Amino acid sequence: MRFFDLILRNLWRKPARSLGLILAVAIAVMTVVTLDVTSSGLEQSAAAIISIGKADFTVVQKGASSTLTSTIDAEELARIRHTPGVASAIGVLVETEHINADNPVFIEIGINPGDLKAFGVTVETGRAYSATAANEVMLGWRAAANLGLHVGDRFSANGTSNIVVGTYSTGNSFGDAGAMFPLPAIQGYNRLAGIVTLVFVKVTPGSSPSAVAARVSYAQPELTTIRTATQFGRADQNLVYLEAAVNGSTVLAILIGAVIVGNTMLLSLFERTREFGLLRAVGWTRRRTVGLLLGESLLLAFVGAAVGVALSFVVAAILARLPALKGILHPNFTEDAFWRALITAFVMTFLGALYPTTRAALLSPLKALSYE
C-alpha cells in the first residue's frame, strides 16, 4: 500500500472526526478570507472615488474617520492652489444619500461648472448646470439609466426637487453612477459653507507629483496627500482599523484552530497507540511515523482551506447585498486572499499537530503494544 493511500484510509476510518477537523479549518479560513476581501473591496471603492478626478494626487484631511468625512476649508484650499508646482486644485464636496432600495449609497458630488472639464467630465446630453443654480443637477449616464431619468425630468435629493439639465460621463464607474450639483448648492444643503471634502491636484508640466505632494503636506500638516490605494490609511482611519482586524483575526484563527486540531489529533493518538507501536515494531522509523500524522493533518488542512474559501464567496456575496453595504462593498478576491487562506490553514494545522506527532515519534514500541 502506498503511503498516500494509507493516509486516505486512516482518515476515512474516522469520517466524523475528519469532517470535524475540516469544518474547524474551513470556518477559520472563511472568517479570515471574508474579512480580507471585504477590506480590499472597501479600499477599492475608496480608490475609485479618489480616482474620479484624474488628478496627479488628492488632498484629504489627515486622520478623518473616513475619506468622505474629510473637511477642507476655503483658506486651506487657497494655500494648496498657491503651492509651488500646483497647476490646478479642484475642490469638491462628496456625500452619499439613500435614494431607494437599489441605490442605498448614491454618490453626490458638488463641483463648480468651470472645473468640470479639468475634472474629466464630458457632458453627454443636455448641458452643464449654472454656477449659482439652486435646483439643477447632472446625472451620470449610468445613474440616469438606473433611475430611468432623462433631461428635463425631476430628481429628488437632499430634500429638494432638482431639474436634470444634462447627463455626463467620467470614465469611472463610481462617478458615472452618481450625480453632480453646483458646489454652493450642495454646500448649502449640508450647511457646510466654504467646505470641500477632497481637493484634486494637477501639477505643472515638468514638476514631480511626489515633490509637490510633499510640499503640500509640509505646509499644511493637518492635510495629507494620496496618490495610490495603499496610502488611504493616512486619511481613512476606518480602513486602518479594518486592516488591523484582518491581521488580528488571522492570528486568533490560527491559535484557536491550533488548539482544536491539537486536541483532536491527541485523541486520535491515544486511540491509535497500539497501531503506532505495531508500525514501529515492524520497522517504521520515527520520521515516517511523524510523516504519517503530518500528512493526515495537512491533507485535512488543504481540504478545509478549499471549503473555507468556497464559503467565503457565499458570505461575501451576502454581505455585498446588505442594504448598508450595497453599492459600496464589492468583494475583491485577490491572490493575497488565497495565500492568506492557505497559510492560515497550514500554520494552524501544523502547530496543532506538533505535540501529538512528537509524542507519536517518542513512543516506545513495547509500551505502545501493551497500551490498553
Side-chain angles (χ1 to χ4, degrees):
M1 179 180 292
R2 291 182 301 175
F3 192 71
F4 185 71
D5 292 336
L6 181 60
I7 290 175
L8 291 177
R9 192 192 71 171
N10 288 339
L11 294 177
W12 186 249
R13 282 165 53 191
K14 296 286 185 178
R17 179 178 298 158
S18 297
L19 289 174
L21 272 177
I22 288 173
L23 184 61
V25 174
I27 292 175
V29 168
M30 177 197 70
T31 302
V32 169
V33 173
T34 301
L35 279 172
D36 188 283
V37 300
T38 299
S39 173
S40 180
L42 291 174
E43 184 177 280
Q44 193 176 52
S45 297
I49 294 173
I50 292 292
S51 63
I52 293 175
K54 297 185 175 68
D56 292 312
F57 62 87
T58 305
V59 183
V60 191
Q61 180 188 9
K62 183 183 292 184
S65 60
S66 72
T67 304
L68 298 185
T69 61
S70 163
T71 57
I72 300 174
D73 61 34
E75 184 178 343
E76 291 169 328
L77 177 57
R79 287 201 295 266
I80 294 172
R81 286 172 173 163
H82 287 93
T83 301
V86 172
S88 67
I90 300 172
V92 302
L93 181 61
V94 184
E95 66 165 3
T96 59
E97 183 176 358
H98 183 283
I99 300 297
N100 52 40
D102 293 325
N103 297 275
V105 189
F106 188 81
I107 295 176
E108 298 169 350
I109 302 172
I111 180 172
N112 288 317
D115 293 327
L116 290 174
K117 184 176 180 180
F119 196 65
V121 176
T122 301
V123 178
E124 297 291 341
T125 60
R127 62 173 177 83
Y129 46 72
S130 60
T132 57
N135 296 102
E136 291 184 352
V137 63
M138 286 202 306
L139 294 178
W141 66 270
R142 289 181 185 273
N146 293 337
L147 296 170
L149 298 177
H150 305 86
V151 174
D153 291 340
R154 288 277 178 176
F155 172 68
S156 297
N158 292 292
T160 63
S161 178
N162 305 272
I163 299 175
V164 179
V165 296
T167 62
Y168 67 85
S169 66
T170 62
N172 178 286
S173 59
F174 272 79
D176 294 339
M180 290 188 175
F181 295 81
L183 180 57
I186 202 168
Q187 286 173 332
Y189 297 150
N190 292 278
R191 299 178 182 179
L192 294 171
I195 298 296
V196 296
T197 309
L198 310 169
V199 177
F200 295 83
V201 177
K202 289 187 178 180
V203 303
T204 56
S207 297
S208 166
S210 58
V212 177
R215 290 188 201 117
V216 171
S217 297
Y218 179 78
Q220 302 191 74
E222 72 279 8
L223 305 178
T224 189
T225 58
I226 298 173
R227 296 186 62 200
T228 63
T230 57
Q231 296 176 336
F232 278 108
R234 297 178 183 177
D236 199 322
Q237 293 299 308
N238 288 337
L239 292 178
V240 175
Y241 298 146
L242 190 55
E243 184 178 351
V246 173
N247 294 330
S249 69
T250 302
V251 174
L252 189 61
I254 288 174
L255 294 177
I256 295 176
V259 172
I260 295 173
V261 171
N263 286 337
T264 306
M265 294 299 294
L266 195 58
L267 179 60
S268 175
L269 172 63
F270 292 147
E271 292 180 353
R272 297 165 63 187
T273 298
R274 290 174 61 86
E275 174 190 337
F276 290 127
L278 180 60
L279 291 174
R280 291 294 310 283
V282 298
W284 272 49
T285 63
R286 286 189 173 92
R287 180 178 296 180
R288 196 173 188 192
T289 304
V290 169
L292 178 65
L293 279 172
L294 281 179
E296 294 174 9
S297 302
L298 294 179
L299 180 59
L300 291 175
F302 181 80
V303 176
V307 173
V309 169
L311 290 174
S312 71
F313 274 93
V314 177
V315 174
I318 293 173
L319 289 176
R321 285 171 172 76
L322 293 177
L325 295 174
K326 189 174 182 180
I328 283 187
L329 175 59
H330 301 278
N332 186 23
F333 285 86
T334 62
E335 182 180 343
D336 289 343
F338 294 107
W339 278 114
R340 186 184 289 269
L342 282 176
I343 291 172
T344 300
F346 285 119
V347 170
M348 65 182 283
T349 305
F350 177 79
L351 292 177
L354 194 58
Y355 177 65
T357 54
T358 301
R359 287 199 56 169
L362 296 176
L363 280 174
S364 167
L366 183 60
K367 288 184 177 181
L369 287 171
S370 62
Y371 180 82
E372 295 295 339

